[in-house]
Amino acid sequence: MLDILYNRRSTRKFNDTKIEEPIIRQLLKAALLSPSSKNSQPWEFIVVNDPELLSQLSVAKPHGACLLKHAPLAVVVAGDKSKSDVWIEDCSIASVFLQLAAEALGLGSCWVQIHHRYHDDDQTANEFIGELLHIPDHLEVLSVVGIGYKAVDRPALSEKEIDWQKVIMNSYKGVSLLFTIVLS
Ligand SMILES: Cc1cc2nc3c(=O)[nH]c(=O)nc-3n(C[C@H](O)[C@H](O)[C@H](O)COP(=O)(O)O)c2cc1C
């Protein structure tokens, strides 16, 4: 697990290998088992492998979604606000569980942000995807996770790139840096 956490990078370039159904099932199992506030599980996951739909998803917003065009798989993570006041947190955790499961299965992935993003001046990215996939109105799309076998292996961040100064020990009063060895 730590290996995955320490070495994971977002993958935006995938090769053509199809993701077989048992693997898709394992990915979704991880998402469905994610923790959620009061165990409300306010999510639904729309699994997309149709190339035409993937191509349409890749233009859900002007920037940052194009990786979906050549991904073999995308999981649209949508939440039901009426089921939880913290549906964003719950769906975010589920999105990350999907990403970590992908790594564990030898796949790469990238989160594409949809919530608070626009397709164009007239339509939100959520509305665009809702129309495209006929998503019921009570669901709002938080993210789309693009998944596939990696075309390139991105290097893990080095120890030097880790910002230990973001870790505060006990209190901001008289701040002491805990990890001086790492910082030096
Ligand atoms: C909430 C959130 C939204 C993100 N949105 C996008 C996105 O729309 N498009 C994209 O290519 N990457 C997106 N990413 C991936 C980040 O750019 C990436 O995680 C960050 O640059 C760190 O790189 P790494 O994942 O390789 O460590 C998003 C990540 C998070 C957590």
Side-chain angles (χ1 to χ4, degrees):
M1 175 56 103
L2 286 180
D3 235 35
I4 289 170
L5 296 177
Y6 292 168
N7 294 311
R8 179 214 57 84
R9 300 299 311 276
S10 293
T11 299
R12 298 183 179 85
K13 287 191 187 343
F14 306 102
N15 69 30
D16 293 334
T17 313
K18 197 174 159 240
I19 305 178
E20 299 298 339
E21 208 216 276
I23 302 284
I24 298 177
R25 220 185 136 76
Q26 282 179 282
L27 288 167
L28 272 299
K29 182 173 173 179
L32 290 165
L33 289 172
S34 331
S36 63
S37 171
K38 300 176 189 164
N39 199 21
S40 57
Q41 305 180 11
W43 45 59
E44 294 198 14
F45 304 100
I46 304 117
V47 179
V48 180
N49 65 1
D50 177 294
E52 180 49 36
L53 289 177
L54 287 163
S55 178
Q56 285 294 306
L57 283 176
S58 78
V59 296
K61 60 178 186 173
H63 305 288
C66 51
L67 67 105
L68 298 172
K69 188 170 170 66
H70 300 295
L73 188 77
V75 179
V76 177
V77 182
D80 183 342
K81 282 182 188 174
S82 72
K83 289 207 173 134
S84 173
D85 58 342
V86 290
W87 69 276
I88 294 177
E89 288 84 342
D90 294 336
C91 288
S92 296
I93 292 166
S95 302
V96 169
F97 266 48
L98 261 177
Q99 290 200 270
L100 296 178
E103 286 291 325
L105 291 162
L107 296 153
S109 72
C110 189
W111 176 315
V112 174
Q113 180 69 17
I114 300 302
H115 185 62
H116 284 321
R117 297 291 179 261
Y118 281 82
H119 172 66
D120 59 21
D121 288 346
D122 303 322
Q123 199 178 35
T124 65
N126 168 59
E127 288 164 350
F128 175 83
I129 295 177
E131 271 180 26
L132 178 71
L133 304 179
H134 304 278
I135 298 175
D137 285 343
H138 67 281
L139 295 173
E140 183 159 341
V141 179
L142 176 89
S143 69
V144 180
V145 180
I147 303 173
Y149 290 95
K150 300 171 193 177
V152 278
D153 244 322
R154 297 182 66 204
L157 293 184
S158 69
E159 213 32 71
K160 275 196 175 142
E161 290 167 286
I162 300 172
D163 191 355
W164 289 102
Q165 307 211 44
K166 291 198 186 286
V167 183
I168 307 305
M169 188 67 187
N170 288 323
S171 158
Y172 276 87
K173 188 176 175 206
V175 169
S176 76
L177 296 172
L178 178 63
F179 302 106
T180 45
I181 296 167
V182 180
L183 283 169
S184 61

